[in-house]
Amino acid sequence: MIYQGNAVSVQLLDDGIAELKFDLQGESVNKFNRATLEDFQKAIDAIKGSDQIKGLIVTSGKKVFIVGADITEFTEMFAQEEAEIAKWSREANNIFSAFEDLDIPKVVAINGFAMGGGLEMCLVCDFRVMSEQAQIGLPEVKLGIFPAFGGTVRMPRLVGVDNAVEWIATGAQQRPEKALKDGVVDAVVKHDDLHNAAIDLVKQCLAGKIDFRAKRQEKLEPLKLPPMENMMAFQTCTAMVMQQAGKNYPAPVEAVKVMQKAAGMKREEALDVEAQGFAKVAKTPQATALVGLFLADQQVKKVNGKVAKTAKDIQQAAVLGAGIMGGGIAFQSALKGTPIIMKDIADKALDLGMNEASKLLAKRVAKGKMDAAKMGKVLSSIRPTLNYGDFENVNVIVEAVVENTKVKQSVLAEVEEKVADGTILASNTSTISITKLAEALKKPENFGGMHFFNPVHMMPLVEVIRGEKTSDETIATLVAYAQKMGKNPIVVNDCPGFLVNRVLFPYFAGFGMLVRDGADFQQVDKVMQKFGWPMGPAYLLDVVGIDTGVHAAKVMAEGFPDRMQHDFKDPTEIMFENERYGQKNGIGFYRYEQDKKGKPKKVADEGSYELLKPMAAERKEFDAEEIIARMMIPMCTETVRCLEDNIVGSAAEADMAMIYGIGFPPFRGGPLRYIDSIGTKAFADLCDKYAHLGALYEAPQMLKDKAAKGESFFA
């Protein structure tokens, strides 16, 4: 053994070839934390000090290669000054450069995921051999940053400007075929042949058949393109990246600028430019929010992992109701490998449910994501039925009938009689109390809520709702089932609207008050879309369905009369009374026409303004900042109240529910991180400024307490 550390070892094999292996002890994956970087430096020193090593293969002792830098270290590091962050990047790069400069052939064997810093480690090697099972990429832009271990320097020198920009600015995870085609790797081999293929390539270099020094030299020099062509290539790329990333995500554009600035430089100078550029984006609010989001996502997954440990085994599921939601649930369950029975009282409904599943599967086949045989297998694992004949062996049942308390109670009581004792029941409801529905059941402990979002196959969130009598085992099983379906479950306690709708409807109430006070709903939509929402509130209500919105608002008003009842006619109610239900019947706040692809396209409709005239003050222009404050304060304060009332377990879970469930702008991190970005004291002051608008705008006690102590929701 040449070197043995806690994360890296170097062992001599045959013929003067050594193996440098990454295997971080006590962790399931390899990552570049501070300890690994220090270990890597010591391994390099040991290689330099050995006269036995003539060539090197780089491997991993894990199923993955290296997943990247240790993101848990970013929060503390990004709080430092720009100069300190740049210094960290530069010091890390000194280690990578020292490895690159070892005057022996170095071949990396990429066995699994090589992401971010993991791929940058591959780039400092002279050659890259990839398993057909591996995937690689530079996903840093998804964290609001860009590669800082030499990725922006080596990538364009190895694969050209266009390819480098695509890999770095999109942050996409790439398969072996794409990696080989773009020149990011030199060979793709069968997984079992990987180790030998890497050794064979080192031997070819040692035999003089391949000039490894010339290959390395390319990475040390300026880009080969003439300056004029360079400028043209970067200008084209910058325009394209700006268009795709938008103004709210600066990292992709900054990455391109850094590559352009360093194009005419040698490696060391170029790495200085990368370090400075990286430090600049690391200090942006987007990086703070997106890194926070990643860590919150990890926290939620950890919480769910613990909860799901006591789940019952799920071999067979069932769904009651074959409508849009029932069909969507059946499709998702079958797609992810849990066979499901779809029960309805009408043949026509079952046909509709099966057609929906067929349509979605056919789209996957058309896109090459699935072959016809797999489509057949998935479809055959959905069993449509009109009776309860096969329900004795079902482990979990999701009721997805019409949103009506009596109908749901009747269906749930009926199915409880037909199933084995320990079968878990759930209701897919967006507004009805789980505790109330449980009153119809003999074993309420076996019952909970599963609120899926529409369309089921696209929306990642499932709210798992605990009623007053729901057992821990039931919650564990519903969480496990949601995970099996490829969803992100968030466990919440029962209350009107649960978490997401309870927080969303104050946002809609803010919209209603703005329109009442003379705001143009189209201006509000534009401002909120610019703020980062996928769509503004009027358009969102049209998409959700005005009738659905009015029904849910009524439930919220009954549940929280002090805040959510209003003393004026809301614009949504006016649309509803005039049978404008939104996209579903072609007219709501907007009118809908079909575009070339047959999808609904919104068009301004003067009739909406006429209908709103009696309830609204004279139309006037509002300042964008005021619109944002009046829309966001009710949503954010209600999120705080949900935390205060123990409806949701943590700030991370609350924020992730809004990101997963309603498309809260990711670069703002979620409602609570958004409060943190403004400051709890400043946000409490903002609440006071608008408190005259009513109880929805008043700062909750938890916010006041944090403001007084100078605390934030995320440490």
Side-chain angles (χ1 to χ4, degrees):
M1 186 68 74
I2 305 282
Y3 174 77
Q4 178 66 60
N6 200 40
V8 185
S9 63
V10 182
Q11 186 176 1
L12 202 61
L13 308 175
D14 299 328
D15 306 320
I17 298 171
E19 177 175 8
L20 183 148
K21 183 187 283 184
F22 286 92
D23 195 357
L24 182 56
Q25 298 308 297
E27 296 277 358
S28 58
V29 295
N30 290 319
K31 54 189 171 184
F32 277 119
N33 54 15
R34 286 191 177 96
T36 301
L37 284 168
E38 284 166 20
D39 221 7
F40 185 33
Q41 178 65 71
K42 288 173 187 170
I44 294 165
D45 294 339
I47 294 165
K48 280 180 185 170
S50 168
D51 56 4
Q52 297 171 279
I53 301 175
K54 307 284 182 271
L56 193 69
I57 64 164
V58 180
T59 66
S60 161
K62 312 281 189 200
K63 283 184 177 174
V64 301
F65 180 67
I66 301 170
V67 295
D70 185 351
I71 294 160
T72 60
E73 293 179 354
F74 282 7
T75 311
E76 191 184 323
M77 185 176 64
F78 289 5
Q80 297 176 333
E81 295 299 317
E82 257 185 57
E84 284 300 307
I85 300 169
K87 187 180 166 210
W88 168 82
S89 168
R90 205 58 193 83
E91 284 171 357
N93 267 314
N94 289 341
I95 301 171
F96 286 103
S97 293
F99 179 82
E100 188 168 46
D101 292 341
L102 292 170
D103 196 26
I104 53 173
K106 301 172 291 296
V107 177
V108 62
I110 308 168
N111 62 314
F113 286 112
M115 309 307 290
L119 178 52
E120 288 172 289
M121 175 64 219
C122 301
L123 297 177
V124 297
C125 296
D126 303 318
F127 295 97
R128 289 152 292 284
V129 182
M130 185 177 181
S131 156
E132 61 186 5
Q133 292 177 15
Q135 289 191 32
I136 62 177
L138 295 167
E140 287 88 345
V141 291
K142 293 177 180 176
L143 297 175
I145 51 177
F146 56 73
F149 291 164
T152 67
V153 176
R154 294 182 181 94
M155 196 61 126
R157 284 156 181 77
L158 278 171
V159 302
V161 174
D162 291 358
N163 284 335
V165 168
E166 183 193 345
W167 278 66
I168 291 169
T170 64
Q173 206 165 288
Q174 307 290 8
R175 295 186 180 277
E177 309 78 47
K178 169 82 172 159
L180 186 63
K181 178 177 153 286
D182 289 355
V184 179
V185 300
D186 302 287
V188 173
V189 298
K190 285 193 166 68
H191 191 71
D192 294 342
D193 299 339
L194 185 63
H195 200 265
N196 289 339
I199 290 172
D200 184 55
L201 196 44
V202 174
K203 284 180 177 174
Q204 287 186 58
C205 292
L206 293 173
K209 291 179 184 173
I210 297 173
D211 189 348
F212 70 92
R213 290 186 182 92
K215 184 84 170 161
R216 186 193 315 145
Q217 195 61 34
E218 290 175 8
K219 295 181 284 173
L220 310 182
E221 300 294 332
L223 276 177
K224 284 177 187 166
L225 277 177
M228 195 62 192
E229 282 181 44
N230 246 338
M231 193 181 77
M232 294 294 289
F234 278 114
Q235 274 185 348
T236 309
C237 289
T238 305
M240 185 185 72
V241 170
M242 269 180 157
Q243 192 182 353
Q244 286 175 348
K247 287 177 183 172
N248 294 322
Y249 293 89
V253 174
E254 287 300 322
V256 179
K257 285 179 183 172
V258 160
M259 285 189 270
Q260 183 171 10
K261 191 176 177 184
M265 299 173 183
K266 291 197 169 187
R267 182 188 70 188
E268 291 309 300
E269 233 187 317
L271 289 171
D272 286 338
V273 172
E274 179 183 83
Q276 288 156 10
F278 174 79
K280 183 183 168 188
V281 292
K283 294 299 288 179
T284 60
Q286 286 90 340
T288 305
L290 292 166
V291 167
L293 208 59
F294 176 87
L295 296 173
D297 189 43
Q298 297 298 301
Q299 189 184 325
V300 169
K301 285 185 168 76
K302 203 179 274 183
V303 167
N304 286 335
K306 275 185 191 166
V307 170
K309 273 182 181 166
T310 56
K312 291 189 169 193
D313 191 32
I314 305 159
Q315 296 295 328
Q316 176 71 56
V319 63
L320 307 175
I324 294 290
M325 295 307 285
I329 292 164
F331 162 80
Q332 192 65 25
S333 184
L335 180 71
K336 295 294 180 180
T338 305
I340 189 162
I341 299 168
M342 182 166 61
K343 154 114 182 33
D344 205 285
I345 53 171
D347 270 323
K348 199 176 173 186
L350 291 173
D351 289 344
L352 198 72
M354 291 305 290
N355 285 342
E356 182 66 16
S358 295
K359 246 188 336 201
L360 291 170
L361 288 165
K363 274 184 191 170
R364 293 181 79 84
V365 173
K367 287 177 182 172
K369 289 181 178 178
M370 173 187 277
D371 59 26
K374 176 84 196 285
M375 175 178 169
K377 193 179 170 195
V378 172
L379 264 184
S380 65
S381 66
I382 304 173
R383 263 189 295 157
T385 182
L386 293 168
N387 56 59
Y388 291 107
D390 302 321
F391 270 60
E392 287 135 25
N393 303 319
V394 172
N395 311 115
V396 62
I397 298 171
V398 182
E399 165 275 304
V401 300
V402 63
E403 191 77 346
N404 175 296
T405 306
K406 283 181 179 164
V407 175
K408 282 184 181 288
Q409 283 181 326
S410 161
V411 168
L412 287 162
E414 184 182 35
V415 75
E416 189 183 35
E417 296 294 329
K418 312 284 184 187
V419 295
D421 261 6
T423 306
I424 302 296
L425 300 180
S427 176
N428 172 52
T429 173
S430 55
T431 55
I432 301 170
S433 163
I434 294 303
T435 304
K436 176 80 180 157
L437 290 175
E439 289 170 6
L441 298 172
K442 289 173 183 166
K443 292 191 174 172
E445 66 275 15
N446 291 346
F447 173 67
M450 267 188 115
H451 177 206
F452 290 86
F453 289 74
N454 191 20
V456 176
H457 67 284
M458 285 174 72
M459 298 299 282
L461 180 67
V462 174
E463 285 182 299
V464 172
I465 304 125
R466 185 192 289 276
E468 272 175 27
K469 293 181 179 174
T470 309
S471 72
D472 288 346
E473 187 182 47
T474 296
I475 291 296
T477 307
L478 296 179
V479 164
Y481 183 44
Q483 287 174 322
K484 272 187 100 169
M485 290 173 82
K487 298 298 177 190
N488 297 319
I490 301 273
V491 178
V492 300
N493 282 316
D494 193 17
C495 74
F498 315 128
L499 172 62
V500 172
N501 279 336
R502 176 172 162 180
V503 169
L504 177 61
F505 276 81
Y507 172 83
F508 286 146
F511 167 68
M513 284 189 257
L514 271 166
V515 174
R516 174 199 67 189
D517 296 343
D520 178 352
F521 67 82
Q522 287 194 76
Q523 189 206 355
V524 177
D525 270 7
K526 280 173 190 158
V527 168
M528 295 319 291
Q529 205 169 348
K530 204 172 175 187
F531 177 81
W533 286 95
M535 56 186 79
Y539 187 22
L540 179 58
L541 281 159
D542 275 1
V543 170
V544 167
I546 300 284
D547 50 343
T548 306
V550 167
H551 167 73
K554 205 174 282 178
V555 173
M556 301 301 146
E558 284 166 10
F560 308 102
D562 59 323
R563 296 193 298 284
M564 299 197 201
Q565 259 182 8
H566 45 257
D567 56 1
F568 64 95
K569 190 160 269 191
D570 185 87
T572 319
E573 290 167 344
I574 291 171
M575 294 300 144
F576 178 70
E577 284 169 8
N578 287 277
E579 295 181 4
R580 288 170 166 246
Y581 303 143
Q583 276 188 1
K584 60 175 74 173
N585 74 337
I587 192 148
F589 285 97
Y590 298 94
R591 197 158 34 82
Y592 293 89
E593 296 170 356
Q594 281 200 348
D595 65 10
K596 287 174 188 172
K597 291 180 182 173
K599 290 184 175 173
K601 184 180 84 167
K602 70 178 168 72
V603 182
D605 183 72
E606 205 45 52
S608 298
Y609 291 105
E610 287 302 316
L611 291 171
L612 294 172
K613 262 182 188 169
M615 64 78 64
E618 195 176 327
R619 211 191 303 177
K620 62 174 182 177
E621 190 89 4
F622 275 78
D623 177 62
E625 288 306 308
E626 185 177 349
I627 289 174
I628 291 164
R630 289 183 61 164
M631 290 298 300
M632 294 307 296
I633 291 170
M635 171 174 271
C636 294
T637 52
E638 201 60 41
T639 309
V640 175
R641 287 188 183 96
C642 286
L643 203 55
E644 206 170 44
D645 297 347
N646 198 30
I647 297 303
V648 63
S650 66
E653 289 164 281
D655 273 0
M656 290 315 298
M658 297 305 126
I659 300 280
Y660 295 149
I662 53 170
F664 192 99
F667 68 93
R668 297 194 187 274
L672 299 175
R673 202 170 282 279
Y674 176 63
I675 293 175
D676 279 0
S677 72
I678 292 169
T680 47
K681 171 81 173 69
F683 199 86
D685 291 345
L686 198 62
C687 292
D688 292 344
K689 181 182 172 183
Y690 288 99
H692 64 279
L693 290 169
L696 272 179
Y697 289 84
E698 287 168 12
Q701 195 56 47
M702 183 186 264
L703 178 62
K704 287 178 185 172
D705 293 347
K706 285 191 181 291
K709 293 177 194 163
E711 290 176 357
S712 56
F713 288 95
F714 293 90

